[in-house]
Amino acid sequence: QVQLVESGGGSVQAGGSLRISCAASGYTVTSNNMGWFRQAPGKEREGVAAIVADGSTKYADSVKGRFTISLDNAKNTLYLQMNSLKPEDTAMYYCAAAIGYGVPWYGALSNNRYNIWGQGTQVAVSS
């Protein structure tokens, strides 16, 4: 059974950093095609960062230069390093994977490109 489990969320002050993780089980993440999404209360879920099959990454404009997505194949784990956090980064963060097909770079931040989702980890940034 394929499963994604996020961890590492928490509370931090503005300007601080957090690294959240997504451990995959039941499949091997070497094919990339994974992403991070977030949903704040009352808002739509939005794509934050993604990594596609050739290793290319894509970021939402709001996090460019502050967030970094990476994949540790040996640990079968996806990471999101978040620096210079802002209160508007407060949200539930979800990781997602596309299994069985590829995700094009131009669509990598779209929810409907992914078929496996984790349960989420909460990030709260105070001012």
Side-chain angles (χ1 to χ4, degrees):
Q1 181 182 357
V2 177
Q3 195 172 14
L4 301 175
V5 179
E6 300 95 334
S7 62
S11 298
V12 64
Q13 288 193 325
S17 298
L18 274 177
R19 188 180 76 160
I20 55 178
S21 304
C22 172
S25 60
Y27 89 108
T28 302
V29 301
T30 53
S31 62
N32 296 325
N33 295 308
M34 298 187 73
W36 285 101
F37 293 76
R38 66 186 182 188
Q39 187 168 21
K43 293 189 176 181
E44 301 269 327
R45 186 165 55 187
E46 62 175 354
V48 175
I51 182 166
V52 297
D54 66 358
S56 300
T57 56
K58 187 174 179 65
Y59 295 93
D61 288 343
S62 59
V63 306
K64 279 181 184 175
R66 300 188 298 122
F67 290 12
T68 303
I69 188 172
S70 62
L71 194 60
D72 186 330
N73 293 331
K75 295 183 178 180
N76 225 34
T77 299
L78 181 74
Y79 298 99
L80 185 68
Q81 177 67 44
M82 304 182 290
N83 298 329
S84 302
L85 282 161
K86 303 176 181 180
E88 50 263 45
D89 295 318
T90 295
M92 184 71 80
Y93 283 72
Y94 301 89
C95 73
I99 298 176
Y101 56 92
V103 175
W105 181 85
Y106 61 82
L109 296 183
S110 299
N111 289 311
N112 59 9
R113 296 286 184 174
Y114 299 88
N115 56 357
I116 303 293
W117 292 83
Q119 84 291 345
T121 187
Q122 181 69 43
V123 172
V125 184
S126 58
S127 56

